[in-house]
Each structure stands twice: as structure tokens, then as C-alpha cells.
Amino acid sequence: MAKNVAGPEIERLIQLLARVPGLGPRSARRAALHLIKKKEQVLGPLAEALAAARDSVTVCSTCGNVDTRDPCTICTDPRRDNGTIIIVEDVSDLWALERASAMNCLYHVLGGTLSPLDGIGPDDLNIKSLVERISAGDGAKEIIIAVNATVEGQTTAHYITDQLDGLDVTITRLAHGVPVGGELDYLDEGTLTAALRSRTTL
Amino acid sequence: MAKNVAGPEIERLIQLLARVPGLGPRSARRAALHLIKKKEQVLGPLAEALAAARDSVTVCSTCGNVDTRDPCTICTDPRRDNGTIIIVEDVSDLWALERASAMNCLYHVLGGTLSPLDGIGPDDLNIKSLVERISAGDGAKEIIIAVNATVEGQTTAHYITDQLDGLDVTITRLAHGVPVGGELDYLDEGTLTAALRSRTTL
């Protein structure tokens, strides 16, 4: 857009909206215009929600989840089974597992995976706090490693298994297999092989 | 997401982000998490930019453009040719024409098109202010009607032409033809017919 069309406030809003994942420069303009038109219904409340998030959201010092309190809602929930801790790479994975509602347990967010090429070593992830958490004997009996099925994820899984060696916990990982609702034709050989190997009796 | 995962501030932020055009419920979660992680670089500045826009953006009482001042930057720009006014449906059309930088003139934003089915009549659009603006003799010699080439747009164009009848202005409309860079094979018959009729000598 030519520089003299709208005030600097609108220009700056468009530039910042373009940095939101899912929006590009073009959709940021469209979004800015929509927000300006819906000033009372959307723009105002969104400004307040962002300010509230900026002021109140923090990272849980126990598990690495983001929440408005520390320790977070999950860590302090007395109805959760503290005998099981699921290790995930990112908060988005924690949210995904919570949406599935399959387990009612605790989590530990690593904040990434080991990646020597990107200069990410064990000290850059929340691995030390995990070992301390389990060594402290807070009741954990099983550790489910739910990192992504990528090379970096598996490397990280092996490293964590080594670090937890000697501690009195069972370490498990997610099952490999055919996604529910998935078609065999579209699956890779690795997944099909894993699904065949782990076949179950009907 | 299960209700007890994150604080109400995060939930509310996700709900509001989902109302931004271009973001859905799923991408709103991803955007919220990204914003929370980039608290200093993106979330804070975005909250401030939205608050600034909420407090300062207004609609130009002359042309209907959105800006932080009234009359807007375009209406008060002394380097613009006030002999030509381009009529557009929406501010986004104004921005698109400004990006093209083809004309250095004034605008008039209708705020929509006539649409009896949706209950939108002449009084719901900025048509009266357009007629007053031109009757007042502010120097306009040519009115370019740049509404969309839809049925509603063309109906609106005809209505405006009727309203401006008797005033001392030339009324023009955008040319129909082949989009620059477009392939004939993908164009509809109406566009091709119009492009043939308006053919020019090389």
C-alpha cells in the first residue's frame, strides 16, 4: 500500500498482523480492515485479551506448560493421576493430547527436540528439570514419551531414556500404526510395517 | 480443548483470534501459542497496535475512508487532483487502487452495494453524501465508478448515474477486458466478448 493512504497506526497494525501465523501480508490487510470495521465487537475485545495475556500468561516452572498461574492448572489439579507423566515437545502437543481426553495425567514440555545442526543441545530443553522432578520422587510411576515420530524426536527420546536410567519408573512410547480413519493406500511403508508388527488379536 | 487446560485469558484470546478473517478455530490456537511464546516481540506490540487503532481510527466524513484523522489523509492531500473522484464499494477497493498507483485523485467509499434482497437501499450507502459533495462544486470534473463487475455493483452504478444526472460532471467506469497476465483459456465468455468489443489498435 502506498505510504500516504492510511495513518501510521493502521500501517503498524497491518505489519504486526502479518507476523501472526496463518496470516500473510495480504490477509493481514483484510484482517486489519475487518477489525477496524468491527471495532466494538472484535478489535476492542481482542486488544484487551492480548493485553491480558501479555500481563498474566507465564510458563509453569514445574512442567513448562503456559498458563496464567505457576504451577499451572494441570500440575495443581488434584483429580489428575500424578503417577503418569507424558513428555511432549511443545505446548501445542499437550493441548492436542488434552483434546483427545484419553489420559488424565501430568505433562512435561521439553520446549523442542535435540538438534545438533540447529545448535539445540540437552541444556536448551527442559530435560534437567524432568530428571529432577522424577528423582525427587513426586509419585511418578510411568513416563510416556510422546515426542514426534521424527529423527530429532527419536534421538531426544533415546537421550531421555538414558537420563532416566536407574530411576524407578517405567518408560513407554506412543504406539505406531494406522491413523484412525486413515486409508492404507496413502500410508508410507514404515507406518505399514510398524502396524503389521504391532498387530492385535480381534 | 478441554476447559481445564489453560487459564480463561488464553481461552478468550483463542476465541477472539478465531474471529479474525483468515484464521479458524484451529489456526487461532496455533496463533495464540505463537503470540504467547513471542510475548515481547509480537504479542505486546500487537496488543498496543490494536489499542491504538481502537482509540484513533475513525471514518472520514467526506469520503468514507478509514484513517486516524477526519478528513482523511487522502482528502487533505494538496498534491492530489481533486478534479477526479473514484467511487468504490469498500475501503479495501480504495487500498487496492492506491497500490496500483495509477491515479493520484480522490475517492468516495459507498460502504457496499444496493441489494434489495439483503435490505440494503440507497439510504444505507454513502450516496447522498456523494451527491452533496459534487453539488457543492468542490472541483470534481470526472467521476470514475469503480464498483465490482457484479449484478449488485452494476445496479449501484446505474443508480448513482441517475442521481448525478444534471450535475456538470463526466461519469466513466472501469474498462472490461483480459486481466494483465491472464490466459484466454480460463476467461468467461462475457469477459472475452467485452475484450473483443473494446479492442484497441496496435
Side-chain angles (χ1 to χ4, degrees):
Chain A
M1 175 163 45
K3 278 288 159 205
N4 57 348
V5 173
E9 287 85 354
I10 299 177
E11 282 294 336
R12 178 149 175 75
L13 178 59
I14 294 171
Q15 278 169 20
L16 283 164
L17 281 171
R19 295 176 63 182
V20 174
L23 296 178
R26 209 182 175 88
S27 46
R29 271 200 303 270
R30 201 160 58 90
L33 202 54
H34 177 87
L35 289 172
I36 288 168
K37 283 182 190 166
K38 304 260 178 189
K39 207 193 252 193
E40 303 306 323
Q41 305 97 308
V42 189
L43 195 151
L46 183 57
E48 281 151 29
L50 283 165
R54 178 193 56 198
D55 297 338
S56 66
V57 171
T58 184
V59 173
C60 175
S61 55
T62 305
C63 74
N65 185 18
V66 293
D67 201 341
T68 44
R69 52 200 239 188
D70 178 21
C72 73
T73 315
I74 293 178
C75 284
T76 52
D77 186 349
R79 289 160 304 178
R80 284 184 183 257
D81 167 24
N82 67 351
T84 308
I85 297 178
I86 304 184
I87 300 179
V88 291
E89 288 180 23
D90 195 274
V91 176
S92 58
D93 301 324
L94 185 161
W95 288 1
L97 288 167
E98 279 295 300
R99 282 199 298 281
S101 302
M103 300 283 285
N104 191 32
C105 61
L106 303 181
Y107 292 89
H108 196 86
V109 182
L110 294 176
T113 47
L114 293 176
S115 178
L117 285 177
D118 300 320
I120 300 175
D123 294 340
D124 300 310
L125 305 177
N126 297 327
I127 294 178
K128 207 176 153 208
S129 63
L130 172 71
V131 177
E132 282 167 4
R133 191 177 169 187
I134 292 161
S135 308
D138 64 344
K141 296 271 172 290
E142 180 179 357
I143 307 296
I144 306 175
I145 301 184
V147 293
N148 290 333
T150 56
V151 174
E152 290 84 3
Q154 296 314 304
T155 309
T156 311
H158 279 121
Y159 182 83
I160 291 171
T161 311
D162 283 350
Q163 294 296 305
L164 298 179
D165 192 37
L167 295 173
D168 186 23
V169 284
T170 311
I171 301 173
T172 54
R173 65 158 177 78
L174 294 184
H176 287 309
V178 179
V180 175
E183 295 183 37
L184 295 195
D185 196 17
Y186 292 97
L187 286 174
D188 62 296
E189 292 80 4
T191 304
L192 286 174
T193 308
L196 278 171
R197 276 198 195 135
S198 308
R199 65 192 179 276
T200 53
T201 314
L202 276 180
Chain B
M1 176 162 45
K3 278 288 161 208
N4 56 349
V5 173
E9 286 87 353
I10 298 178
E11 282 293 338
R12 179 149 175 75
L13 179 59
I14 294 172
Q15 276 168 20
L16 283 164
L17 281 172
R19 295 176 63 183
V20 174
L23 295 178
R26 209 182 176 88
S27 46
R29 270 200 304 270
R30 202 160 56 91
L33 202 52
H34 177 86
L35 289 172
I36 288 167
K37 283 181 190 168
K38 304 260 177 187
K39 207 193 254 193
E40 303 305 324
Q41 304 98 307
V42 189
L43 195 151
L46 183 57
E48 282 151 29
L50 283 165
R54 178 194 57 197
D55 297 339
S56 66
V57 171
T58 183
V59 173
C60 176
S61 55
T62 305
C63 75
N65 186 19
V66 292
D67 201 341
T68 45
R69 53 200 238 186
D70 179 21
C72 73
T73 315
I74 292 178
C75 285
T76 52
D77 186 348
R79 289 161 302 177
R80 284 182 183 258
D81 167 24
N82 67 351
T84 309
I85 297 177
I86 304 183
I87 300 180
V88 291
E89 287 180 25
D90 195 275
V91 176
S92 58
D93 302 324
L94 187 161
W95 288 3
L97 288 167
E98 279 294 302
R99 281 198 300 279
S101 301
M103 300 284 285
N104 191 32
C105 60
L106 302 181
Y107 292 89
H108 197 87
V109 181
L110 294 176
T113 46
L114 294 175
S115 179
L117 286 177
D118 300 320
I120 299 175
D123 294 339
D124 300 310
L125 305 178
N126 298 328
I127 294 178
K128 208 177 153 208
S129 63
L130 172 70
V131 177
E132 282 167 6
R133 192 177 168 187
I134 292 161
S135 309
D138 63 345
K141 295 273 172 284
E142 180 180 357
I143 307 294
I144 306 175
I145 302 185
V147 294
N148 290 332
T150 55
V151 174
E152 289 85 2
Q154 297 312 304
T155 310
T156 311
H158 280 120
Y159 182 83
I160 291 172
T161 310
D162 283 349
Q163 295 295 306
L164 297 180
D165 193 36
L167 294 173
D168 185 24
V169 284
T170 312
I171 301 174
T172 55
R173 65 158 176 79
L174 294 184
H176 286 310
V178 181
V180 175
E183 294 183 38
L184 296 194
D185 196 17
Y186 292 97
L187 286 175
D188 62 296
E189 292 78 5
T191 304
L192 287 174
T193 307
L196 278 171
R197 278 198 194 136
S198 308
R199 65 190 178 279
T200 52
T201 315
L202 276 179

